Amino acid sequence: MNVLITGGAGFIGSHTADLLKKKGYKIKIMDDLSPPVHNGEWPDYVQGKGYELIKGSVTDKKQLIEAMKGVDYIIHLAAYQDQMPDFSRFFMVNTVSLSLIFEIILEYKLSVKKIVYSSSQFVYGDGIYISEDGQEFFPELRSEEQLKNKGWEVTDIKGRSAKFVPFRENQKINPTNSYGLSKMASEAMALRLGRTYNIPVSILRYSIVQGARQSPRNIYSGALRIFVTQALAGKPITVTEDGNQLRDFVNVEDVARANILMIESSKTDFEIFNVGGGKGYSIKEFAIMVKEITKSDSEILIDGRFRRTDTRNAVSDIFKLKSIGWLPINTPEKSIKDYVNWIKEEGFDVEKIVENIDRGHRRLV
Ligand SMILES: NC(=O)c1ccc[n+]([C@@H]2O[C@H](COP(=O)([O-])OP(=O)(O)OC[C@H]3O[C@@H](n4cnc5c(N)ncnc54)[C@H](O)[C@@H]3O)[C@@H](O)[C@H]2O)c1
């Protein structure tokens, strides 16, 4: 069976390719190798493994037609991920690319058996909260003024405290930025076009994915990259808000298994699944884990900095995916260790990365 992985030179794609190879699949990777994740060259970890490597963009129809020929399954991972105000680019790369995939299947009568679309926990936004009097509500983004006054918690319209509810696949989605909006549009498109033209699709909403090969150059790659590089550079580990915001972390090898389950189980056709670690950690707890694993002397600095469109809590309920036999096997500690080892082996200049993180954060919206 032939599998095309778009964005396969990236973090999740390359781990998915390695696992597919072990299982005997033939793999094509399409990637534009663009900065900041890449420097135009194929990374070592996809070379010499027998993968067919196609340098091209998922936004270019001609290149995509070539990549899609003779393919049984498509795992669509290529994406623009950031928090910048170039709003249209998110839709061009993340959404228009998916519409091209459907268009090409119909136009060239390709016998693609399934499309797996990589969505994100980000589509939930702040999700659902329950107020003190038991009312469920979908909070609006916390205002800049609230955040400047260190009002970190989500409150109901009367300003009273409220309880966060872990995200379930069937709840209303409410993304807080263009990245999440582009994923939301793609999900809707995948389900509609998939059903109309009888092309099975599965949608995976990953939580924060962690492990080796997560590009330290990608501004968007989150707490693991930021904390590990700061810890290794001996710089303060900078935690946003008060550090009590919750997140769930899932290891990339577990995510690769989830991707493959989508192409191997017809029970997943036209379904959406959360793919998460199953447990919420506070960001402060996670910073402490990184500090311990890296044996760093860095202080953990919690000085009230914040990012305008961050959600307060983001933890996914993974009951649905567990009910079809998937479990997150690897711990966040393993992900941190794998990432630290990889950063050291590759010889990244951690001081420079930390400088870029500081510069990058000043550009975020
Ligand atoms: N890593 C996470 O925590 C996470 C969480 C939720 C969702 N996701 C989603 O999973 C997918 C994979 O993410 P990742 O973490 O592996 O990111 P990544 O940046 O490591 O990989 C994405 C790959 O896509 C490629 N790409 C970007 N634009 C392209 C284009 N126009 N044409 C061809 N290739 C292009 C990049 O060069 C990169 O190799 C993305 O769709 C992302 O939105 C990731």
Side-chain angles (χ1 to χ4, degrees), residues 7 9-13 30-34 37-38 56-59 77-79 81 93 118-120 179 183 206-209 218:
F11 168 50
I12 298 173
M30 182 190 206
D31 202 294
D32 71 350
L33 304 175
S34 54
V37 176
H38 305 286
S57 174
V58 289
T59 57
L77 298 169
Q81 310 165 73
V93 180
S118 56
S119 186
S120 166
Y179 168 71
K183 294 286 183 185
Y206 309 137
S207 298
I208 299 172
V209 186
N218 189 350

Side-chain angles (χ1 to χ4, degrees), residues 36-266:
V37 176
H38 305 286
N39 57 5
E41 305 292 328
W42 290 101
D44 292 349
Y45 53 72
V46 293
Q47 291 191 52
K49 292 182 168 176
Y51 304 153
E52 186 182 341
L53 302 177
I54 301 163
K55 185 172 173 179
S57 174
V58 289
T59 57
D60 183 312
K61 188 167 174 182
K62 265 197 196 142
Q63 291 175 339
L64 200 50
I65 292 167
E66 281 314 302
M68 285 172 59
K69 276 188 187 150
V71 158
D72 298 292
Y73 299 101
I74 299 174
I75 303 183
H76 188 31
L77 298 169
Y80 176 49
Q81 310 165 73
D82 211 319
Q83 216 153 314
M84 298 284 287
D86 49 353
F87 306 126
S88 58
R89 189 168 161 201
F90 294 95
F91 294 91
M92 303 274 192
V93 180
N94 305 352
T95 314
V96 171
S97 62
L98 181 65
S99 61
L100 282 174
I101 289 175
F102 279 103
E103 195 172 302
I104 292 166
I105 292 175
L106 293 188
E107 199 174 322
Y108 291 86
K109 298 187 174 46
L110 301 182
S111 51
V112 172
K113 295 182 174 60
K114 185 155 203 178
I115 301 169
V116 179
Y117 185 70
S118 56
S119 186
S120 166
Q121 188 187 52
F122 246 98
V123 295
Y124 293 109
D126 271 300
I128 300 176
Y129 278 72
I130 301 180
S131 66
E132 282 169 3
D133 53 12
Q135 296 292 317
E136 281 193 355
F137 66 101
F138 293 89
E140 200 15 271
L141 260 185
R142 292 165 296 165
S143 69
E144 193 151 11
E145 194 192 350
Q146 180 182 346
L147 295 170
K148 277 186 180 152
N149 290 326
K150 299 192 168 43
W152 308 124
E153 295 298 344
V154 168
T155 53
D156 67 7
I157 39 169
K158 292 183 181 150
R160 297 172 305 182
S161 65
K163 196 168 163 273
F164 168 74
V165 183
F167 306 133
R168 295 288 291 267
E169 291 85 348
N170 56 3
Q171 77 188 54
K172 183 180 111 178
I173 55 178
N174 190 22
T176 59
N177 63 19
S178 292
Y179 168 71
L181 286 164
S182 70
K183 294 286 183 185
M184 176 169 92
S186 304
E187 287 191 1
M189 183 200 301
L191 291 175
R192 183 65 272 146
L193 296 184
R195 279 207 184 276
T196 304
Y197 298 103
N198 202 20
I199 303 163
V201 293
S202 295
I203 291 164
L204 295 176
R205 292 179 181 158
Y206 309 137
S207 298
I208 299 172
V209 186
Q210 298 182 328
R213 302 179 191 163
Q214 180 169 33
S215 172
R217 299 189 199 93
N218 189 350
I219 293 288
Y220 206 67
S221 54
L224 178 65
R225 173 190 75 122
I226 296 171
F227 295 169
V228 165
T229 50
Q230 289 171 330
L232 294 178
K235 295 277 165 43
I237 299 174
T238 52
V239 170
T240 56
E241 304 191 9
D242 60 354
N244 292 324
Q245 61 274 40
L246 296 178
R247 295 290 182 271
D248 80 281
F249 307 110
V250 60
N251 181 270
V252 69
E253 292 162 26
D254 293 331
V255 170
R257 271 190 303 108
N259 287 341
I260 295 170
L261 180 59
M262 296 303 117
I263 63 177
E264 292 187 341
S265 164
S266 58

